[in-house]
């Protein structure tokens, strides 16, 4: 497993939205913006599912995903595998967190479950000579 450095974690927490990319079993891509995300540890990210349709179907069919995030000239692409949880303590905690966000932003948000993303590879996506270089 690859691990996020403290700087990578800091930037992940700072950016409001990341891009989650999935694909069907036969390779048809899909990418969606994600705002409800948290770092569990240096190699694991939690993503709340409020609106996933194609994305959820893709992850059930093909659990290999990518998450990209950036600000200015610094950015990272994370590749790995997901599991889907629809019950348990982590889902209950996430549902409360999403309810609070819904109140804060006056949006009808409800978590349907959580996606647990295990990071296996990390790449630099900043423009320049290291663009695409595997970092971990």
């Amino acid at each position: 497993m690859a691990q996020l450095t403290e700087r990578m974690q800091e930037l992940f927490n700072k950016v409001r939205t990341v891009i989650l990319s999935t694909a069907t079993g036969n390779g048809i891509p899909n990418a969606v913006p994600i705002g409800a995300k948290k770092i569990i540890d240096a190699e694991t990210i939690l993503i709340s599912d409020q609106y996933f349709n194609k994305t959820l179907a893709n992850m059930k069919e093909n659990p290999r995903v990518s998450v990209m995030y950036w600000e200015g000239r610094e950015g990272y692409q994370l590749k790995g595998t997901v599991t889907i949880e629809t019950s348990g303590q982590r889902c209950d905690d996430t549902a409360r967190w999403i309810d609070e966000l819904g109140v804060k932003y006056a949006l009808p948000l409800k978590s349907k479950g959580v996606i647990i993303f295990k990071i296996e590879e990390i790449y630099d996506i900043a423009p320049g000579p290291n663009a695409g270089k595997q970092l971990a």
Side-chain angles (χ1 to χ4, degrees):
M1 293 290 149
Q3 294 194 352
L4 297 169
T5 64
E6 286 198 28
R7 174 61 193 149
M8 291 172 185
Q9 291 182 50
E10 179 183 306
L11 184 61
F12 182 90
N13 290 327
K14 181 180 180 185
V15 299
R16 185 172 181 145
T17 305
V18 302
I19 302 300
L20 172 65
S21 298
T22 62
T24 63
N26 44 343
I28 298 170
N30 185 57
V32 295
I34 301 295
K37 68 207 179 16
K38 287 185 177 182
I39 294 173
I40 295 175
D41 59 43
E43 54 191 38
T44 314
I45 293 172
L46 178 146
I47 299 168
S48 177
D49 169 13
Q50 284 85 242
Y51 304 114
F52 293 158
N53 292 304
K54 286 186 293 183
T55 300
L56 187 61
N58 286 355
M59 290 185 289
K60 287 178 177 178
E61 191 175 334
N62 175 6
R64 301 276 305 149
V65 305
S66 173
V67 168
M68 289 179 50
Y69 62 100
W70 65 93
E71 180 179 66
R73 293 180 174 250
E74 180 183 11
Y76 304 97
Q77 179 188 47
L78 316 175
K79 293 183 180 184
T81 305
V82 296
T83 56
I84 301 163
E85 298 178 7
T86 56
S87 64
Q89 187 64 51
R90 198 158 28 199
C91 286
D92 295 344
D93 293 345
T94 299
R96 280 190 292 281
W97 168 51
I98 296 303
D99 286 346
E100 291 169 7
L101 284 179
V103 169
K104 179 178 178 180
Y105 294 114
L107 293 171
L109 299 176
K110 294 290 177 201
S111 181
K112 299 184 296 184
V114 296
I115 308 307
I116 304 302
F117 174 44
K118 291 303 252 179
I119 302 165
E120 297 167 2
E121 301 169 29
I122 302 173
Y123 295 86
D124 188 346
I125 63 166
N130 288 326
K133 179 181 177 185
Q134 186 168 358
L135 303 173

